[in-house]
Amino acid sequence: MPTIGSDAPPRVHVTFALPPGAAAELAGTGLQIDSAGEGDGDARSELLAGVSGASGIISTVTDRIDAEVMDAAGPGLRVIANFGVGYDNIDVAAARERGVIVTNTPGVLDNATADVAFALLLATARRIVESDRFVRAGTPWTWESDFFVGLDVSAGATLGIVGLGRIGMAVARRAAAFDMTILATGSRAASAEAGALGVRQVELPELLASSDVVSLHCPLTPETRHLIGAEELRAMKANAILINTARGPIVDELALVEALTDGVIGAAGLDVYEWEPAVSAGLLNLPNVVTVPHIGSAGRATRERMGSLAVRNAAAVLAGEEPLNPVG
Ligand code: 8YV
């Protein structure tokens, strides 16, 4: 462990296995690296032990980086570089108090995440997973005019984008190509690009009442926790579809199970869960739910770009330079 005043390069603790190219990039920085290696991230005690004496932490969504972790790292901690655009896993205020810079990886995962949001939209609207299960079960079938009918996405269905930021805009581009009517909340909904895509800026109540598909793209903050609860679900159309590729706790998951079970809304496509990686048992028994395990950004090149950004952010701060993507 380097001591204060020693010439040893600063040490970076990486809580998970970086994609190979990003790992090579980190190795090339000359920083000392210690990595938790394979696996989904550190167990809490391993995390607390692993960060001890580190100048930098490269963390991910599964790591709760709070004051306890920062204090376990010690006064030499200078940067927490999160692998991901969302950073609700990090106590940014505690970092600020300790003079620790927090960074994220915006921009590089917009298309990958929008692709998964749209895949969930199409899969739920056209009942793709339900049909797949039906065929695999060997159920005898003949063609009928109402066989697995679903929502016509490209015939003027309305998409409501909650939180039109970078990822929401990438979803809007896809929706425009499908001739969807697009409503959105968020400051960028009034931007020139949104206007060119035909996006109409509305308040949440109008979006919920008018959309055939509601897709969530806002960050998780105290204000957006349970933004979609029983009341909001009741405000949606009876056949409406909810897509969540943002953060699980934005939706009251138990209220969602109830709404889907009682036919308050039509279907849900979910990449994220309130108690991730746990998924409410009620969701798993419903035919009108498509579930994937937080794979929004899981494109090979995307993950490399995220890793590279996290590495460059950490290296910049430890070299006394401005990071590319500071937050908070
Ligand atoms: C990542 C994400 O998979 O960027 C985010 O905020 O949720 C996902 O793209 C996750 O953060 C991995 O750390």
Side-chain angles (χ1 to χ4, degrees), residues 59-62 83-86 105 109 113 246-247 294 296-297 303 306:
S59 56
T60 187
V61 68
T62 46
F83 177 92
V85 65
T105 63
L109 46 72
T113 308
R247 282 292 182 269
H294 203 144
S297 66
R303 285 284 162 83
M306 292 166 69

Side-chain angles (χ1 to χ4, degrees), residues 140-166:
W141 59 280
T142 51
W143 187 90
E144 308 271 356
S145 64
D146 62 352
F147 195 44
F148 278 107
V149 291
L151 172 73
D152 288 299
V153 174
S154 329
T158 298
L159 171 67
I161 299 175
V162 177
L164 189 77
R166 279 179 296 258

Side-chain angles (χ1 to χ4, degrees), residues 280-320:
S280 293
L283 287 174
L284 302 177
N285 299 326
L286 292 167
N288 50 346
V289 177
V290 176
T291 56
V292 293
H294 203 144
I295 58 168
S297 66
R300 280 187 204 92
T302 298
R303 285 284 162 83
E304 284 290 2
R305 286 188 213 111
M306 292 166 69
S308 175
L309 262 191
V311 167
R312 284 184 282 150
N313 276 314
V317 174
L318 296 177

Side-chain angles (χ1 to χ4, degrees), residues 4-215:
I4 291 165
S6 84
D7 289 335
R11 183 165 68 80
V12 177
H13 179 73
V14 190
T15 67
F16 62 102
L18 278 166
E25 191 172 351
L26 179 59
T29 61
L31 293 163
Q32 292 186 71
I33 306 154
D34 90 78
S35 174
E38 306 290 321
D40 296 328
D42 281 347
R44 187 72 182 173
S45 54
E46 281 171 27
L47 175 63
L48 291 170
V51 299
S52 174
S55 303
I57 301 172
I58 298 183
S59 56
T60 187
V61 68
T62 46
D63 306 309
R64 183 163 45 84
I65 308 290
D66 53 14
E68 188 188 18
V69 173
M70 296 174 206
D71 292 341
L77 182 64
R78 284 151 65 192
V79 61
I80 300 163
N82 210 41
F83 177 92
V85 65
Y87 51 89
D88 47 278
N89 57 313
I90 300 173
D91 186 340
V92 177
R96 197 181 304 120
E97 276 165 25
R98 289 160 179 77
V100 176
I101 292 172
V102 178
T103 65
N104 68 342
T105 63
V108 294
L109 46 72
D110 302 346
N111 283 325
T113 308
D115 285 347
V116 168
F118 226 80
L120 289 170
L121 185 161
L122 291 172
T124 46
R126 298 303 307 277
R127 304 173 63 181
I128 299 297
V129 176
E130 205 184 334
S131 308
D132 177 84
R133 281 199 209 102
F134 173 88
V135 173
R136 285 173 199 273
T139 322
W141 59 280
T142 51
W143 187 90
E144 308 271 356
S145 64
D146 62 352
F147 195 44
F148 278 107
V149 291
L151 172 73
D152 288 299
V153 174
S154 329
T158 298
L159 171 67
I161 299 175
V162 177
L164 189 77
R166 279 179 296 258
I167 297 172
M169 195 69 84
V171 172
R173 273 181 228 121
R174 286 154 178 76
F178 275 71
D179 289 330
M180 297 184 83
T181 298
I182 311 169
L183 308 177
T185 66
S187 54
R188 286 193 200 202
S191 67
E193 185 183 3
L197 291 170
V199 174
R200 189 160 70 81
Q201 187 178 30
V202 294
E203 297 298 325
L204 186 61
E206 183 180 349
L207 183 148
L208 294 175
S210 310
S211 299
D212 298 299
V213 182
V214 173
S215 193

